[in-house]
Amino acid sequence: MQWSRIAVFASGQGSNFAALAEAERAGQLGGGRIELLVSDRPEAPVARRAEAAGIPSLLLRPKDFASRELYEAGIVAELQRRNIGLIVLAGYMRLISPVLLEPYAGRIINIHPSLLPAFAGKDAIGQALDYGVKLTGVTVHFVDGGMDTGPVIAQRSLAVEAGDTAESLAERIHRVEYELYPAVVAALAAGKVELDGRRAIIRA
Ligand code: GAR
């Protein structure tokens, strides 16, 4: 499996997908190529972004399958057919089962809009605002069987301003994501990330 053959999974707007596709176009994805978009919501804007970028997509509705396992088995077959070596979750709002985790162990990453382990799960930005933290941020991590619990690869912090709303904070978080995620994917695609226990090391 080649690290440079990438599938991006997304459920919604796909602005991170677009940032990754733009980084590839600009030659800034470490030689990585986005070979496929996988979405569980065929009507999501991300599907139109993939079409516009000329990237093939696999659009499957989980409710059309008898179980989550069968839904994921269909995805795994397509990933293997395309020799995908790295799965990049970018706003993919589903937990992954062992059917997908096992064949891709250590090869699935996620981006989350908080400094994990703070504010895992849904609505991380709202959770951070409600808690009243002064610093929050973005985490890129390997995916394991838990909810946002895998080893951290990279984090960036940013300040929460006094007048922030969920919208204003999300906008600044997104801007950080659009820089951080392509940089981490580039490092992985180029084979520069090592894992020592829970500690990920990005080699220069
Ligand atoms: C991103 O902010 C990402 O960090 C978040 O969803 C957003 C997707 O935006 N992911 C999670 O909350 C995962 N728990 P996008 O569709 O515009 O890229």
Side-chain angles (χ1 to χ4, degrees), residues 12-17 90-91 93 110-113 121 148 174 177:
Q13 288 299 323
S15 66
N16 277 284
F17 171 82
M93 296 306 186
N110 182 42
I111 191 162
H112 184 78
D148 302 324
H174 266 126
E177 290 184 335

PDB file of all heavy atoms in Angstrom, residues 12-17 90-91 93 110-113 121 148 174 177, ligand 1:
ATOM      1  N   GLY A  12     -19.697  16.795   4.614  1.00  0.00           N
ATOM      2  CA  GLY A  12     -20.411  18.075   4.583  1.00  0.00           C
ATOM      3  C   GLY A  12     -19.925  19.036   3.531  1.00  0.00           C
ATOM      4  O   GLY A  12     -19.897  18.738   2.342  1.00  0.00           O
ATOM      5  N   GLN A  13     -19.500  20.215   4.008  1.00  0.00           N
ATOM      6  CA  GLN A  13     -19.102  21.287   3.094  1.00  0.00           C
ATOM      7  C   GLN A  13     -17.889  20.914   2.263  1.00  0.00           C
ATOM      8  O   GLN A  13     -17.787  21.275   1.091  1.00  0.00           O
ATOM      9  CB  GLN A  13     -18.779  22.556   3.902  1.00  0.00           C
ATOM     10  CG  GLN A  13     -19.998  23.237   4.486  1.00  0.00           C
ATOM     11  CD  GLN A  13     -20.956  23.676   3.390  1.00  0.00           C
ATOM     12  OE1 GLN A  13     -20.553  24.106   2.315  1.00  0.00           O
ATOM     13  NE2 GLN A  13     -22.234  23.523   3.664  1.00  0.00           N
ATOM     14  N   GLY A  14     -16.923  20.282   2.916  1.00  0.00           N
ATOM     15  CA  GLY A  14     -15.732  19.871   2.170  1.00  0.00           C
ATOM     16  C   GLY A  14     -14.730  20.979   1.946  1.00  0.00           C
ATOM     17  O   GLY A  14     -13.932  20.923   1.006  1.00  0.00           O
ATOM     18  N   SER A  15     -14.707  21.983   2.828  1.00  0.00           N
ATOM     19  CA  SER A  15     -13.707  23.036   2.610  1.00  0.00           C
ATOM     20  C   SER A  15     -12.299  22.503   2.881  1.00  0.00           C
ATOM     21  O   SER A  15     -11.336  22.924   2.229  1.00  0.00           O
ATOM     22  CB  SER A  15     -14.015  24.288   3.439  1.00  0.00           C
ATOM     23  OG  SER A  15     -13.908  24.035   4.808  1.00  0.00           O
ATOM     24  N   ASN A  16     -12.152  21.561   3.803  1.00  0.00           N
ATOM     25  CA  ASN A  16     -10.831  20.938   3.999  1.00  0.00           C
ATOM     26  C   ASN A  16     -10.461  20.065   2.801  1.00  0.00           C
ATOM     27  O   ASN A  16      -9.292  20.025   2.396  1.00  0.00           O
ATOM     28  CB  ASN A  16     -10.799  20.119   5.282  1.00  0.00           C
ATOM     29  CG  ASN A  16     -10.531  20.977   6.496  1.00  0.00           C
ATOM     30  OD1 ASN A  16      -9.395  21.387   6.734  1.00  0.00           O
ATOM     31  ND2 ASN A  16     -11.583  21.299   7.246  1.00  0.00           N
ATOM     32  N   PHE A  17     -11.433  19.372   2.257  1.00  0.00           N
ATOM     33  CA  PHE A  17     -11.194  18.602   1.024  1.00  0.00           C
ATOM     34  C   PHE A  17     -10.656  19.536  -0.056  1.00  0.00           C
ATOM     35  O   PHE A  17      -9.669  19.219  -0.741  1.00  0.00           O
ATOM     36  CB  PHE A  17     -12.495  17.939   0.564  1.00  0.00           C
ATOM     37  CG  PHE A  17     -12.411  17.317  -0.797  1.00  0.00           C
ATOM     38  CD1 PHE A  17     -11.874  16.056  -0.975  1.00  0.00           C
ATOM     39  CD2 PHE A  17     -12.856  18.012  -1.923  1.00  0.00           C
ATOM     40  CE1 PHE A  17     -11.771  15.490  -2.247  1.00  0.00           C
ATOM     41  CE2 PHE A  17     -12.756  17.460  -3.185  1.00  0.00           C
ATOM     42  CZ  PHE A  17     -12.218  16.202  -3.352  1.00  0.00           C
ATOM     43  N   ALA A  90     -11.959  14.171   6.719  1.00  0.00           N
ATOM     44  CA  ALA A  90     -12.033  15.636   6.709  1.00  0.00           C
ATOM     45  C   ALA A  90     -13.502  16.033   6.890  1.00  0.00           C
ATOM     46  O   ALA A  90     -14.227  16.242   5.919  1.00  0.00           O
ATOM     47  CB  ALA A  90     -11.471  16.174   5.394  1.00  0.00           C
ATOM     48  N   GLY A  91     -13.921  16.036   8.168  1.00  0.00           N
ATOM     49  CA  GLY A  91     -15.333  16.318   8.423  1.00  0.00           C
ATOM     50  C   GLY A  91     -16.205  15.123   8.063  1.00  0.00           C
ATOM     51  O   GLY A  91     -17.321  15.283   7.579  1.00  0.00           O
ATOM     52  N   MET A  93     -18.423  12.497   9.493  1.00  0.00           N
ATOM     53  CA  MET A  93     -19.097  12.507  10.792  1.00  0.00           C
ATOM     54  C   MET A  93     -19.640  11.136  11.189  1.00  0.00           C
ATOM     55  O   MET A  93     -20.775  11.017  11.635  1.00  0.00           O
ATOM     56  CB  MET A  93     -20.212  13.562  10.779  1.00  0.00           C
ATOM     57  CG  MET A  93     -19.686  14.972  10.607  1.00  0.00           C
ATOM     58  SD  MET A  93     -18.424  15.393  11.846  1.00  0.00           S
ATOM     59  CE  MET A  93     -18.139  17.115  11.495  1.00  0.00           C
ATOM     60  N   ASN A 110      -7.413  11.936  11.116  1.00  0.00           N
ATOM     61  CA  ASN A 110      -8.601  12.794  11.256  1.00  0.00           C
ATOM     62  C   ASN A 110      -8.151  14.183  11.681  1.00  0.00           C
ATOM     63  O   ASN A 110      -7.097  14.343  12.314  1.00  0.00           O
ATOM     64  CB  ASN A 110      -9.520  12.203  12.334  1.00  0.00           C
ATOM     65  CG  ASN A 110     -10.798  13.006  12.511  1.00  0.00           C
ATOM     66  OD1 ASN A 110     -11.411  13.445  11.535  1.00  0.00           O
ATOM     67  ND2 ASN A 110     -11.195  13.226  13.748  1.00  0.00           N
ATOM     68  N   ILE A 111      -8.971  15.180  11.338  1.00  0.00           N
ATOM     69  CA  ILE A 111      -8.746  16.534  11.849  1.00  0.00           C
ATOM     70  C   ILE A 111      -9.928  16.893  12.739  1.00  0.00           C
ATOM     71  O   ILE A 111     -11.072  16.584  12.418  1.00  0.00           O
ATOM     72  CB  ILE A 111      -8.554  17.559  10.704  1.00  0.00           C
ATOM     73  CG1 ILE A 111      -8.046  18.891  11.282  1.00  0.00           C
ATOM     74  CG2 ILE A 111      -9.821  17.743   9.882  1.00  0.00           C
ATOM     75  CD1 ILE A 111      -7.408  19.801  10.227  1.00  0.00           C
ATOM     76  N   HIS A 112      -9.593  17.500  13.886  1.00  0.00           N
ATOM     77  CA  HIS A 112     -10.638  17.802  14.872  1.00  0.00           C
ATOM     78  C   HIS A 112     -10.454  19.243  15.358  1.00  0.00           C
ATOM     79  O   HIS A 112      -9.322  19.653  15.664  1.00  0.00           O
ATOM     80  CB  HIS A 112     -10.528  16.818  16.049  1.00  0.00           C
ATOM     81  CG  HIS A 112     -11.615  17.003  17.048  1.00  0.00           C
ATOM     82  ND1 HIS A 112     -12.900  16.518  16.836  1.00  0.00           N
ATOM     83  CD2 HIS A 112     -11.649  17.641  18.236  1.00  0.00           C
ATOM     84  CE1 HIS A 112     -13.659  16.853  17.877  1.00  0.00           C
ATOM     85  NE2 HIS A 112     -12.924  17.527  18.734  1.00  0.00           N
ATOM     86  N   PRO A 113     -11.565  20.004  15.468  1.00  0.00           N
ATOM     87  CA  PRO A 113     -11.430  21.427  15.775  1.00  0.00           C
ATOM     88  C   PRO A 113     -11.341  21.751  17.269  1.00  0.00           C
ATOM     89  O   PRO A 113     -12.099  22.571  17.790  1.00  0.00           O
ATOM     90  CB  PRO A 113     -12.691  22.030  15.141  1.00  0.00           C
ATOM     91  CG  PRO A 113     -13.701  20.944  15.231  1.00  0.00           C
ATOM     92  CD  PRO A 113     -12.945  19.646  15.101  1.00  0.00           C
ATOM     93  N   GLY A 121     -15.521  14.613  20.263  1.00  0.00           N
ATOM     94  CA  GLY A 121     -16.910  14.383  19.865  1.00  0.00           C
ATOM     95  C   GLY A 121     -17.507  15.544  19.096  1.00  0.00           C
ATOM     96  O   GLY A 121     -16.791  16.334  18.487  1.00  0.00           O
ATOM     97  N   ASP A 148     -12.065  10.153  18.793  1.00  0.00           N
ATOM     98  CA  ASP A 148     -11.012  11.184  18.820  1.00  0.00           C
ATOM     99  C   ASP A 148      -9.918  10.867  19.845  1.00  0.00           C
ATOM    100  O   ASP A 148      -9.381  11.769  20.499  1.00  0.00           O
ATOM    101  CB  ASP A 148     -11.627  12.570  19.121  1.00  0.00           C
ATOM    102  CG  ASP A 148     -12.680  12.971  18.102  1.00  0.00           C
ATOM    103  OD1 ASP A 148     -12.504  12.640  16.918  1.00  0.00           O
ATOM    104  OD2 ASP A 148     -13.674  13.600  18.478  1.00  0.00           O
ATOM    105  N   HIS A 174     -10.990  27.181  10.890  1.00  0.00           N
ATOM    106  CA  HIS A 174     -10.884  26.671   9.524  1.00  0.00           C
ATOM    107  C   HIS A 174      -9.608  27.156   8.847  1.00  0.00           C
ATOM    108  O   HIS A 174      -8.932  26.381   8.163  1.00  0.00           O
ATOM    109  CB  HIS A 174     -12.110  27.104   8.699  1.00  0.00           C
ATOM    110  CG  HIS A 174     -13.190  26.082   8.694  1.00  0.00           C
ATOM    111  ND1 HIS A 174     -14.493  26.348   9.052  1.00  0.00           N
ATOM    112  CD2 HIS A 174     -13.163  24.770   8.373  1.00  0.00           C
ATOM    113  CE1 HIS A 174     -15.202  25.247   8.955  1.00  0.00           C
ATOM    114  NE2 HIS A 174     -14.432  24.284   8.549  1.00  0.00           N
ATOM    115  N   GLU A 177      -6.892  25.064   9.927  1.00  0.00           N
ATOM    116  CA  GLU A 177      -7.015  23.714   9.354  1.00  0.00           C
ATOM    117  C   GLU A 177      -6.490  23.660   7.926  1.00  0.00           C
ATOM    118  O   GLU A 177      -5.804  22.698   7.549  1.00  0.00           O
ATOM    119  CB  GLU A 177      -8.487  23.268   9.376  1.00  0.00           C
ATOM    120  CG  GLU A 177      -9.009  22.995  10.774  1.00  0.00           C
ATOM    121  CD  GLU A 177     -10.428  22.459  10.793  1.00  0.00           C
ATOM    122  OE1 GLU A 177     -11.192  22.706   9.834  1.00  0.00           O
ATOM    123  OE2 GLU A 177     -10.784  21.801  11.775  1.00  0.00           O
TER     124      GLU A 177
HETATM  125  C1  GAR B   1     -13.822  20.769  10.183  1.00  0.00           C
HETATM  126  O1  GAR B   1     -13.745  21.934  10.971  1.00  0.00           O
HETATM  127  C2  GAR B   1     -13.328  19.582  10.965  1.00  0.00           C
HETATM  128  O2  GAR B   1     -12.324  19.906  11.895  1.00  0.00           O
HETATM  129  C3  GAR B   1     -14.573  19.130  11.655  1.00  0.00           C
HETATM  130  O3  GAR B   1     -15.588  19.277  10.705  1.00  0.00           O
HETATM  131  C4  GAR B   1     -15.278  20.403   9.899  1.00  0.00           C
HETATM  132  C5  GAR B   1     -15.527  20.036   8.459  1.00  0.00           C
HETATM  133  O4  GAR B   1     -15.516  21.177   7.650  1.00  0.00           O
HETATM  134  N1  GAR B   1     -14.473  17.759  12.098  1.00  0.00           N
HETATM  135  C6  GAR B   1     -14.991  17.308  13.229  1.00  0.00           C
HETATM  136  O5  GAR B   1     -15.643  17.995  13.992  1.00  0.00           O
HETATM  137  C7  GAR B   1     -14.708  15.840  13.496  1.00  0.00           C
HETATM  138  N2  GAR B   1     -15.128  15.468  14.814  1.00  0.00           N
HETATM  139  P1  GAR B   1     -15.402  21.038   6.066  1.00  0.00           P
HETATM  140  O6  GAR B   1     -16.466  20.018   5.619  1.00  0.00           O
HETATM  141  O7  GAR B   1     -15.686  22.411   5.528  1.00  0.00           O
HETATM  142  O8  GAR B   1     -14.015  20.568   5.748  1.00  0.00           O
END
